[in-house]
Amino acid sequence: MPRISLEEEQMLLGNPSGATAEVSNANNYLLSKPQYALSYSKSRGTPNWVSWHVSNDWLGSAPRQDNFRTDVTLPEGWYRVKSGSYTGSGFDRGHNVPSADRTKSVEDNAATFLMTNIIPQAPKNNQETWANLEDYTRDLVQAGQEVYVIMGSYGVGGTGSNGTAKKVDEGRVTVPSRIWKVLVVLPEGNNDLSRINTSTRVIAVNTPNTQSVRPDWSSYRTTVDAIEQATGYDLLSEVPEEIQEVLESRIDEVPAQ
């Protein structure tokens, strides 16, 4: 079987919101890159969701680039969030695809610093809860697994180090109230979609975007169904319906340590 394209790899589980690369679809605009795929909202100034694959193929020794920058691939005439857009806001420039998930090459790592991959994230949520879940994801990969991840945010208003805010960047970027993530965990292998079955491990997490969030991500486990209900998205849509039904209704109970 021929290897699928990198773009197809990043959205293997489906297109949760039916995003398209049409300028008229401004709040559900598909950006498909070799490193990840996302649905962008022009009115929010953030991604709705981002989808990517973590495996040993993506991990290497490229250093963190830290080159936060405007994504010039957004359509002409759209406001483009800048590297300094969150400065002084009390919110971190929170990655969806973490820098450390893309260390095979400098180019791959740099792609994670595009502002279309970033949300205003409460510092404790970003540096503790989310960092712990990101580390856990890569630990799974080091232990012989590969992980498909979809992450997103919704709602309006979070609490950062300067207190609660609904918008930053002079009102051009919306601060989400909730941040969620779904991970589908498989043993390393090929033909990944066909290997997902009713016993596949799926981790769904939904956290408040606040400073009072607990560092232990596993205390925020939920179902995929609950995230779908909150967002209106159809997650794991490429997985056969009867398998989806089982996986999406289950809360992961594997000890997180």
Side-chain angles (χ1 to χ4, degrees), residues 31 33 36 38-41 44-48 50 66-74 79-87 89 91-96 110-121 168-169 173:
L31 280 173
K33 304 177 187 293
Y36 52 88
L38 65 88
S39 162
Y40 187 75
S41 171
R44 290 178 71 94
T46 61
N48 299 307
V50 185
D66 250 332
N67 55 343
F68 290 95
R69 65 204 186 282
T70 294
D71 190 338
V72 297
T73 68
L74 284 174
Y79 174 70
R80 293 169 178 174
V81 182
K82 301 173 181 63
S83 63
S85 288
Y86 297 9
T87 303
S89 68
F91 292 93
D92 283 2
R93 293 175 294 193
H95 284 71
N96 283 257
T112 69
F113 290 93
L114 290 167
M115 293 302 291
T116 46
N117 180 46
I118 304 295
I119 55 170
Q121 194 166 5
V168 300
D169 195 15
V173 177

Side-chain angles (χ1 to χ4, degrees), residues 28-147:
N28 188 21
Y29 183 77
L30 182 65
L31 280 173
S32 189
K33 304 177 187 293
Q35 298 85 4
Y36 52 88
L38 65 88
S39 162
Y40 187 75
S41 171
K42 180 188 175 197
S43 66
R44 290 178 71 94
T46 61
N48 299 307
W49 54 261
V50 185
S51 176
W52 71 100
H53 181 213
V54 196
S55 67
N56 274 315
D57 287 343
W58 289 100
L59 303 180
S61 56
R64 181 182 168 98
Q65 296 304 297
D66 250 332
N67 55 343
F68 290 95
R69 65 204 186 282
T70 294
D71 190 338
V72 297
T73 68
L74 284 174
E76 195 73 29
W78 286 19
Y79 174 70
R80 293 169 178 174
V81 182
K82 301 173 181 63
S83 63
S85 288
Y86 297 9
T87 303
S89 68
F91 292 93
D92 283 2
R93 293 175 294 193
H95 284 71
N96 283 257
V97 184
S99 159
D101 279 7
R102 293 289 178 258
T103 52
K104 188 59 91 176
S105 72
V106 165
E107 181 188 4
D108 287 343
N109 188 262
T112 69
F113 290 93
L114 290 167
M115 293 302 291
T116 46
N117 180 46
I118 304 295
I119 55 170
Q121 194 166 5
K124 282 196 185 304
N125 186 303
N126 181 39
Q127 297 166 29
E128 295 179 11
T129 320
W130 229 239
N132 292 337
L133 179 51
E134 291 166 358
D135 288 344
Y136 181 76
T137 305
R138 287 186 295 275
D139 288 347
L140 290 172
V141 173
Q142 304 293 357
Q145 309 288 309
E146 52 184 297
V147 187

Side-chain angles (χ1 to χ4, degrees), residues 177-195:
S177 60
R178 305 289 303 187
I179 304 172
W180 58 270
K181 188 175 270 190
V182 171
L183 302 90
V184 176
V185 184
L186 293 168
E188 239 176 45
N190 298 308
N191 302 326
D192 294 343
L193 201 55
S194 65
R195 296 191 296 123

Side-chain angles (χ1 to χ4, degrees), residues 44 90-92 119-126 153-160 163-165 174-179 206-213:
R44 290 178 71 94
F91 292 93
D92 283 2
I119 55 170
Q121 194 166 5
K124 282 196 185 304
N125 186 303
N126 181 39
S153 53
Y154 64 90
V156 178
T159 307
T164 301
T174 299
V175 178
S177 60
R178 305 289 303 187
I179 304 172
N206 191 344
T207 67
N209 188 21
T210 65
Q211 288 291 79
S212 57
V213 68

